[in-house]
mmCIF file of all heavy atoms in Angstrom:
data_model
loop_
_atom_site.group_PDB
_atom_site.id
_atom_site.type_symbol
_atom_site.label_atom_id
_atom_site.label_comp_id
_atom_site.label_asym_id
_atom_site.label_seq_id
_atom_site.Cartn_x
_atom_site.Cartn_y
_atom_site.Cartn_z
ATOM 1 N N PRO A 162 38.598 108.683 155.321
ATOM 2 C CA PRO A 162 39.376 107.482 155.661
ATOM 3 C C PRO A 162 39.634 107.402 157.161
ATOM 4 O O PRO A 162 39.825 108.428 157.818
ATOM 5 C CB PRO A 162 40.677 107.669 154.884
ATOM 6 C CG PRO A 162 40.371 108.697 153.838
ATOM 7 C CD PRO A 162 39.306 109.563 154.411
ATOM 8 N N SER A 163 39.624 106.182 157.700
ATOM 9 C CA SER A 163 39.888 106.001 159.132
ATOM 10 C C SER A 163 41.383 105.994 159.422
ATOM 11 O O SER A 163 41.791 106.082 160.568
ATOM 12 C CB SER A 163 39.266 104.700 159.620
ATOM 13 O OG SER A 163 39.802 103.606 158.904
ATOM 14 N N LEU A 164 42.217 105.877 158.367
ATOM 15 C CA LEU A 164 43.656 105.822 158.573
ATOM 16 C C LEU A 164 44.347 106.393 157.338
ATOM 17 O O LEU A 164 44.009 106.035 156.207
ATOM 18 C CB LEU A 164 44.106 104.383 158.801
ATOM 19 C CG LEU A 164 45.542 104.160 159.273
ATOM 20 C CD1 LEU A 164 45.738 104.718 160.670
ATOM 21 C CD2 LEU A 164 45.882 102.673 159.232
ATOM 22 N N THR A 165 45.286 107.319 157.565
ATOM 23 C CA THR A 165 46.068 107.861 156.456
ATOM 24 C C THR A 165 47.554 107.735 156.801
ATOM 25 O O THR A 165 47.926 107.517 157.960
ATOM 26 C CB THR A 165 45.729 109.342 156.191
ATOM 27 O OG1 THR A 165 45.978 110.086 157.396
ATOM 28 C CG2 THR A 165 44.277 109.514 155.784
ATOM 29 N N VAL A 166 48.378 107.878 155.754
ATOM 30 C CA VAL A 166 49.819 107.794 155.932
ATOM 31 C C VAL A 166 50.443 109.098 155.401
ATOM 32 O O VAL A 166 50.129 109.507 154.268
ATOM 33 C CB VAL A 166 50.418 106.580 155.198
ATOM 34 C CG1 VAL A 166 51.938 106.545 155.369
ATOM 35 C CG2 VAL A 166 49.793 105.290 155.679
ATOM 36 N N ARG A 167 51.279 109.727 156.220
ATOM 37 C CA ARG A 167 51.914 110.978 155.799
ATOM 38 C C ARG A 167 53.361 111.023 156.294
ATOM 39 O O ARG A 167 53.696 110.424 157.316
ATOM 40 C CB ARG A 167 51.188 112.205 156.374
ATOM 41 C CG ARG A 167 49.821 112.448 155.771
ATOM 42 C CD ARG A 167 49.239 113.716 156.351
ATOM 43 N NE ARG A 167 47.863 113.897 155.956
ATOM 44 C CZ ARG A 167 47.061 114.816 156.451
ATOM 45 N NH1 ARG A 167 47.514 115.654 157.378
ATOM 46 N NH2 ARG A 167 45.820 114.929 156.036
ATOM 47 N N ARG A 168 54.178 111.762 155.550
ATOM 48 C CA ARG A 168 55.549 112.028 155.995
ATOM 49 C C ARG A 168 55.534 113.392 156.683
ATOM 50 O O ARG A 168 55.215 114.408 156.061
ATOM 51 C CB ARG A 168 56.498 112.030 154.808
ATOM 52 C CG ARG A 168 57.961 112.164 155.193
ATOM 53 C CD ARG A 168 58.839 111.989 153.985
ATOM 54 N NE ARG A 168 58.799 110.628 153.472
ATOM 55 C CZ ARG A 168 59.483 109.604 153.947
ATOM 56 N NH1 ARG A 168 60.282 109.783 154.994
ATOM 57 N NH2 ARG A 168 59.378 108.408 153.416
ATOM 58 N N VAL A 169 55.837 113.410 157.970
ATOM 59 C CA VAL A 169 55.667 114.622 158.766
ATOM 60 C C VAL A 169 56.847 114.786 159.723
ATOM 61 O O VAL A 169 57.653 113.875 159.924
ATOM 62 C CB VAL A 169 54.354 114.588 159.595
ATOM 63 C CG1 VAL A 169 53.146 114.582 158.685
ATOM 64 C CG2 VAL A 169 54.350 113.377 160.526
ATOM 65 N N SER A 170 56.920 115.987 160.306
ATOM 66 C CA SER A 170 57.877 116.277 161.371
ATOM 67 C C SER A 170 57.315 117.401 162.214
ATOM 68 O O SER A 170 56.313 118.041 161.853
ATOM 69 C CB SER A 170 59.248 116.680 160.792
ATOM 70 O OG SER A 170 59.121 117.894 160.059
ATOM 71 N N GLY A 171 57.975 117.658 163.370
ATOM 72 C CA GLY A 171 57.526 118.749 164.239
ATOM 73 C C GLY A 171 56.649 118.270 165.368
ATOM 74 O O GLY A 171 56.527 117.066 165.643
ATOM 75 N N PRO A 172 55.963 119.186 166.053
ATOM 76 C CA PRO A 172 55.110 118.818 167.182
ATOM 77 C C PRO A 172 53.948 117.937 166.730
ATOM 78 O O PRO A 172 53.286 118.220 165.727
ATOM 79 C CB PRO A 172 54.616 120.168 167.711
ATOM 80 C CG PRO A 172 55.581 121.182 167.179
ATOM 81 C CD PRO A 172 56.057 120.645 165.880
ATOM 82 N N LEU A 173 53.671 116.863 167.477
ATOM 83 C CA LEU A 173 52.572 115.972 167.132
ATOM 84 C C LEU A 173 51.223 116.669 167.240
ATOM 85 O O LEU A 173 50.260 116.260 166.590
ATOM 86 C CB LEU A 173 52.601 114.737 168.050
ATOM 87 C CG LEU A 173 53.748 113.738 167.816
ATOM 88 C CD1 LEU A 173 53.497 112.473 168.628
ATOM 89 C CD2 LEU A 173 53.906 113.399 166.345
ATOM 90 N N TRP A 174 51.147 117.706 168.071
ATOM 91 C CA TRP A 174 49.880 118.434 168.175
ATOM 92 C C TRP A 174 49.491 119.015 166.816
ATOM 93 O O TRP A 174 48.339 118.905 166.386
ATOM 94 C CB TRP A 174 49.980 119.543 169.218
ATOM 95 C CG TRP A 174 48.763 120.446 169.219
ATOM 96 C CD1 TRP A 174 48.620 121.622 168.569
ATOM 97 C CD2 TRP A 174 47.516 120.186 169.871
ATOM 98 N NE1 TRP A 174 47.366 122.138 168.774
ATOM 99 C CE2 TRP A 174 46.652 121.275 169.575
ATOM 100 C CE3 TRP A 174 47.039 119.142 170.671
ATOM 101 C CZ2 TRP A 174 45.358 121.357 170.058
ATOM 102 C CZ3 TRP A 174 45.751 119.227 171.148
ATOM 103 C CH2 TRP A 174 44.922 120.310 170.841
ATOM 104 N N GLU A 175 50.436 119.610 166.106
ATOM 105 C CA GLU A 175 50.144 120.192 164.809
ATOM 106 C C GLU A 175 49.796 119.106 163.785
ATOM 107 O O GLU A 175 48.937 119.295 162.927
ATOM 108 C CB GLU A 175 51.330 121.026 164.318
ATOM 109 C CG GLU A 175 51.693 122.190 165.222
ATOM 110 C CD GLU A 175 50.571 123.209 165.326
ATOM 111 O OE1 GLU A 175 49.744 123.283 164.378
ATOM 112 O OE2 GLU A 175 50.511 123.928 166.349
ATOM 113 N N VAL A 176 50.496 117.969 163.867
ATOM 114 C CA VAL A 176 50.217 116.854 162.959
ATOM 115 C C VAL A 176 48.811 116.316 163.205
ATOM 116 O O VAL A 176 48.025 116.080 162.275
ATOM 117 C CB VAL A 176 51.260 115.741 163.127
ATOM 118 C CG1 VAL A 176 50.919 114.535 162.241
ATOM 119 C CG2 VAL A 176 52.647 116.257 162.819
ATOM 120 N N ALA A 177 48.450 116.140 164.497
ATOM 121 C CA ALA A 177 47.131 115.624 164.841
ATOM 122 C C ALA A 177 46.032 116.594 164.442
ATOM 123 O O ALA A 177 44.984 116.208 163.932
ATOM 124 C CB ALA A 177 47.067 115.333 166.343
ATOM 125 N N LYS A 178 46.282 117.874 164.650
ATOM 126 C CA LYS A 178 45.284 118.886 164.298
ATOM 127 C C LYS A 178 45.022 118.897 162.800
ATOM 128 O O LYS A 178 43.878 118.980 162.344
ATOM 129 C CB LYS A 178 45.755 120.256 164.781
ATOM 130 C CG LYS A 178 44.762 121.384 164.544
ATOM 131 C CD LYS A 178 45.305 122.695 165.085
ATOM 132 C CE LYS A 178 44.319 123.831 164.864
ATOM 133 N NZ LYS A 178 44.850 125.122 165.404
ATOM 134 N N ALA A 179 46.094 118.795 161.984
ATOM 135 C CA ALA A 179 45.941 118.803 160.533
ATOM 136 C C ALA A 179 45.253 117.531 160.038
ATOM 137 O O ALA A 179 44.532 117.553 159.034
ATOM 138 C CB ALA A 179 47.295 118.969 159.860
ATOM 139 N N GLY A 180 45.460 116.431 160.756
ATOM 140 C CA GLY A 180 44.884 115.164 160.303
ATOM 141 C C GLY A 180 43.602 114.777 160.995
ATOM 142 O O GLY A 180 43.087 113.671 160.758
ATOM 143 N N GLY A 181 43.084 115.631 161.870
ATOM 144 C CA GLY A 181 41.849 115.314 162.575
ATOM 145 C C GLY A 181 42.008 114.155 163.535
ATOM 146 O O GLY A 181 41.070 113.365 163.735
ATOM 147 N N SER A 182 43.184 114.028 164.147
ATOM 148 C CA SER A 182 43.443 112.939 165.082
ATOM 149 C C SER A 182 43.788 113.535 166.447
ATOM 150 O O SER A 182 43.538 114.714 166.697
ATOM 151 C CB SER A 182 44.583 112.071 164.556
ATOM 152 O OG SER A 182 44.793 110.942 165.373
ATOM 153 N N THR A 183 44.354 112.711 167.309
ATOM 154 C CA THR A 183 44.808 113.178 168.615
ATOM 155 C C THR A 183 46.264 112.772 168.812
ATOM 156 O O THR A 183 46.760 111.830 168.169
ATOM 157 C CB THR A 183 43.964 112.576 169.761
ATOM 158 O OG1 THR A 183 44.174 111.165 169.812
ATOM 159 C CG2 THR A 183 42.478 112.886 169.568
ATOM 160 N N VAL A 184 46.930 113.479 169.715
ATOM 161 C CA VAL A 184 48.323 113.152 170.010
ATOM 162 C C VAL A 184 48.428 111.740 170.567
ATOM 163 O O VAL A 184 49.319 110.960 170.190
ATOM 164 C CB VAL A 184 48.919 114.189 170.995
ATOM 165 C CG1 VAL A 184 50.307 113.755 171.453
ATOM 166 C CG2 VAL A 184 48.977 115.563 170.357
ATOM 167 N N GLU A 185 47.497 111.392 171.447
ATOM 168 C CA GLU A 185 47.530 110.059 172.063
ATOM 169 C C GLU A 185 47.374 108.966 171.022
ATOM 170 O O GLU A 185 48.069 107.929 171.050
ATOM 171 C CB GLU A 185 46.447 109.950 173.128
ATOM 172 C CG GLU A 185 46.628 110.840 174.338
ATOM 173 C CD GLU A 185 46.232 112.286 174.066
ATOM 174 O OE1 GLU A 185 45.627 112.568 173.003
ATOM 175 O OE2 GLU A 185 46.540 113.139 174.923
ATOM 176 N N ALA A 186 46.456 109.188 170.052
ATOM 177 C CA ALA A 186 46.246 108.190 169.015
ATOM 178 C C ALA A 186 47.472 108.046 168.123
ATOM 179 O O ALA A 186 47.855 106.933 167.723
ATOM 180 C CB ALA A 186 45.018 108.558 168.173
ATOM 181 N N LEU A 187 48.119 109.156 167.792
ATOM 182 C CA LEU A 187 49.334 109.112 166.979
ATOM 183 C C LEU A 187 50.448 108.343 167.691
ATOM 184 O O LEU A 187 51.148 107.524 167.078
ATOM 185 C CB LEU A 187 49.808 110.527 166.669
ATOM 186 C CG LEU A 187 49.067 111.304 165.571
ATOM 187 C CD1 LEU A 187 49.560 112.737 165.526
ATOM 188 C CD2 LEU A 187 49.242 110.629 164.215
ATOM 189 N N MET A 188 50.636 108.622 168.969
ATOM 190 C CA MET A 188 51.718 107.964 169.698
ATOM 191 C C MET A 188 51.455 106.469 169.823
ATOM 192 O O MET A 188 52.376 105.654 169.715
ATOM 193 C CB MET A 188 51.874 108.605 171.090
ATOM 194 C CG MET A 188 52.337 110.053 171.027
ATOM 195 S SD MET A 188 52.569 110.821 172.648
ATOM 196 C CE MET A 188 54.033 109.960 173.220
ATOM 197 N N ALA A 189 50.175 106.090 170.035
ATOM 198 C CA ALA A 189 49.847 104.669 170.173
ATOM 199 C C ALA A 189 49.996 103.941 168.847
ATOM 200 O O ALA A 189 50.541 102.826 168.784
ATOM 201 C CB ALA A 189 48.429 104.514 170.718
ATOM 202 N N ALA A 190 49.528 104.565 167.751
ATOM 203 C CA ALA A 190 49.559 103.892 166.452
ATOM 204 C C ALA A 190 50.970 103.741 165.925
ATOM 205 O O ALA A 190 51.253 102.809 165.156
ATOM 206 C CB ALA A 190 48.699 104.668 165.453
ATOM 207 N N ASN A 191 51.885 104.636 166.322
ATOM 208 C CA ASN A 191 53.238 104.613 165.778
ATOM 209 C C ASN A 191 54.294 104.254 166.803
ATOM 210 O O ASN A 191 55.491 104.337 166.525
ATOM 211 C CB ASN A 191 53.565 105.972 165.168
ATOM 212 C CG ASN A 191 52.695 106.311 163.982
ATOM 213 O OD1 ASN A 191 52.973 105.915 162.862
ATOM 214 N ND2 ASN A 191 51.619 107.046 164.230
ATOM 215 N N HIS A 192 53.854 103.861 168.012
ATOM 216 C CA HIS A 192 54.761 103.433 169.083
ATOM 217 C C HIS A 192 55.822 104.509 169.367
ATOM 218 O O HIS A 192 57.030 104.243 169.404
ATOM 219 C CB HIS A 192 55.442 102.104 168.730
ATOM 220 C CG HIS A 192 54.486 101.008 168.390
ATOM 221 N ND1 HIS A 192 53.662 100.414 169.327
ATOM 222 C CD2 HIS A 192 54.194 100.428 167.196
ATOM 223 C CE1 HIS A 192 52.913 99.487 168.734
ATOM 224 N NE2 HIS A 192 53.215 99.473 167.436
ATOM 225 N N LEU A 193 55.343 105.730 169.559
ATOM 226 C CA LEU A 193 56.235 106.862 169.813
ATOM 227 C C LEU A 193 56.353 107.120 171.304
ATOM 228 O O LEU A 193 55.408 106.879 172.068
ATOM 229 C CB LEU A 193 55.707 108.118 169.106
ATOM 230 C CG LEU A 193 55.595 108.054 167.585
ATOM 231 C CD1 LEU A 193 54.944 109.332 167.061
ATOM 232 C CD2 LEU A 193 56.957 107.857 166.951
ATOM 233 N N ASP A 194 57.512 107.614 171.721
ATOM 234 C CA ASP A 194 57.705 107.999 173.122
ATOM 235 C C ASP A 194 57.994 109.489 173.247
ATOM 236 O O ASP A 194 58.482 109.959 174.279
ATOM 237 C CB ASP A 194 58.832 107.187 173.758
ATOM 238 C CG ASP A 194 60.159 107.330 173.005
ATOM 239 O OD1 ASP A 194 60.194 108.120 172.032
ATOM 240 O OD2 ASP A 194 61.125 106.673 173.392
ATOM 241 N N THR A 195 57.726 110.253 172.201
ATOM 242 C CA THR A 195 57.917 111.699 172.233
ATOM 243 C C THR A 195 56.765 112.377 171.507
ATOM 244 O O THR A 195 56.167 111.778 170.594
ATOM 245 C CB THR A 195 59.254 112.086 171.569
ATOM 246 O OG1 THR A 195 59.372 113.500 171.569
ATOM 247 C CG2 THR A 195 59.330 111.591 170.131
ATOM 248 N N ASP A 196 56.450 113.595 171.925
ATOM 249 C CA ASP A 196 55.358 114.326 171.272
ATOM 250 C C ASP A 196 55.869 115.349 170.266
ATOM 251 O O ASP A 196 55.147 116.240 169.841
ATOM 252 C CB ASP A 196 54.462 115.009 172.303
ATOM 253 C CG ASP A 196 55.212 116.028 173.141
ATOM 254 O OD1 ASP A 196 56.425 116.201 172.916
ATOM 255 O OD2 ASP A 196 54.586 116.640 174.025
ATOM 256 N N CYS A 197 57.154 115.218 169.881
ATOM 257 C CA CYS A 197 57.719 116.120 168.870
ATOM 258 C C CYS A 197 58.760 115.358 168.061
ATOM 259 O O CYS A 197 59.671 114.738 168.627
ATOM 260 C CB CYS A 197 58.352 117.341 169.540
ATOM 261 S SG CYS A 197 58.964 118.578 168.366
ATOM 262 N N LEU A 198 58.617 115.383 166.743
ATOM 263 C CA LEU A 198 59.545 114.699 165.853
ATOM 264 C C LEU A 198 60.571 115.700 165.323
ATOM 265 O O LEU A 198 60.199 116.666 164.628
ATOM 266 C CB LEU A 198 58.793 114.067 164.684
ATOM 267 C CG LEU A 198 57.729 113.012 165.045
ATOM 268 C CD1 LEU A 198 57.022 112.537 163.789
ATOM 269 C CD2 LEU A 198 58.362 111.846 165.776
ATOM 270 N N GLU A 199 61.827 115.493 165.650
ATOM 271 C CA GLU A 199 62.866 116.409 165.185
ATOM 272 C C GLU A 199 63.186 116.188 163.719
ATOM 273 O O GLU A 199 63.563 117.122 163.011
ATOM 274 C CB GLU A 199 64.129 116.236 166.031
ATOM 275 C CG GLU A 199 63.938 116.662 167.488
ATOM 276 C CD GLU A 199 65.228 116.577 168.264
ATOM 277 O OE1 GLU A 199 66.262 116.221 167.659
ATOM 278 O OE2 GLU A 199 65.201 116.880 169.472
ATOM 279 N N GLU A 200 63.036 114.949 163.237
ATOM 280 C CA GLU A 200 63.305 114.652 161.830
ATOM 281 C C GLU A 200 62.038 114.128 161.163
ATOM 282 O O GLU A 200 61.169 113.531 161.807
ATOM 283 C CB GLU A 200 64.430 113.620 161.704
ATOM 284 C CG GLU A 200 65.768 114.097 162.276
ATOM 285 C CD GLU A 200 66.844 113.044 162.123
ATOM 286 O OE1 GLU A 200 66.520 111.929 161.654
ATOM 287 O OE2 GLU A 200 67.995 113.327 162.477
ATOM 288 N N GLU A 201 61.943 114.371 159.886
ATOM 289 C CA GLU A 201 60.762 113.920 159.126
ATOM 290 C C GLU A 201 60.720 112.395 159.061
ATOM 291 O O GLU A 201 61.733 111.746 158.838
ATOM 292 C CB GLU A 201 60.811 114.510 157.722
ATOM 293 C CG GLU A 201 59.492 114.361 156.966
ATOM 294 C CD GLU A 201 59.544 115.028 155.616
ATOM 295 O OE1 GLU A 201 60.173 114.450 154.697
ATOM 296 O OE2 GLU A 201 58.983 116.136 155.489
ATOM 297 N N ARG A 202 59.513 111.851 159.245
ATOM 298 C CA ARG A 202 59.335 110.401 159.151
ATOM 299 C C ARG A 202 57.910 110.076 158.746
ATOM 300 O O ARG A 202 57.027 110.922 158.813
ATOM 301 C CB ARG A 202 59.697 109.706 160.463
ATOM 302 C CG ARG A 202 58.872 110.129 161.653
ATOM 303 C CD ARG A 202 59.250 109.364 162.891
ATOM 304 N NE ARG A 202 58.872 107.962 162.802
ATOM 305 C CZ ARG A 202 59.038 107.074 163.789
ATOM 306 N NH1 ARG A 202 59.615 107.453 164.920
ATOM 307 N NH2 ARG A 202 58.662 105.832 163.644
ATOM 308 N N LEU A 203 57.687 108.840 158.322
ATOM 309 C CA LEU A 203 56.383 108.377 157.850
ATOM 310 C C LEU A 203 55.557 107.928 159.049
ATOM 311 O O LEU A 203 55.994 107.113 159.852
ATOM 312 C CB LEU A 203 56.571 107.216 156.869
ATOM 313 C CG LEU A 203 55.481 106.978 155.835
ATOM 314 C CD1 LEU A 203 55.323 108.182 154.920
ATOM 315 C CD2 LEU A 203 55.796 105.728 155.028
#
């Protein structure tokens, strides 16, 4: 799939690595201004 949805938390690097994505792509797709999520979110 070109796009998946997950409930995650923690450093975006670990999230991107597990999902085969990049930190930059995650931040752009979800309009994030931090590279670490302190609380779990979709």
Side-chain angles (χ1 to χ4, degrees):
S163 59
L164 190 66
T165 58
V166 178
R167 290 183 188 171
R168 186 173 293 279
V169 295
S170 64
L173 289 190
W174 172 264
E175 299 297 335
V176 177
K178 183 178 180 180
S182 185
T183 66
V184 172
E185 294 78 11
L187 283 173
M188 294 181 71
N191 295 275
H192 305 290
L193 299 175
D194 57 4
T195 178
D196 61 0
C197 185
L198 300 177
E199 294 184 2
E200 298 180 356
E201 193 177 76
R202 60 178 292 183
L203 206 61

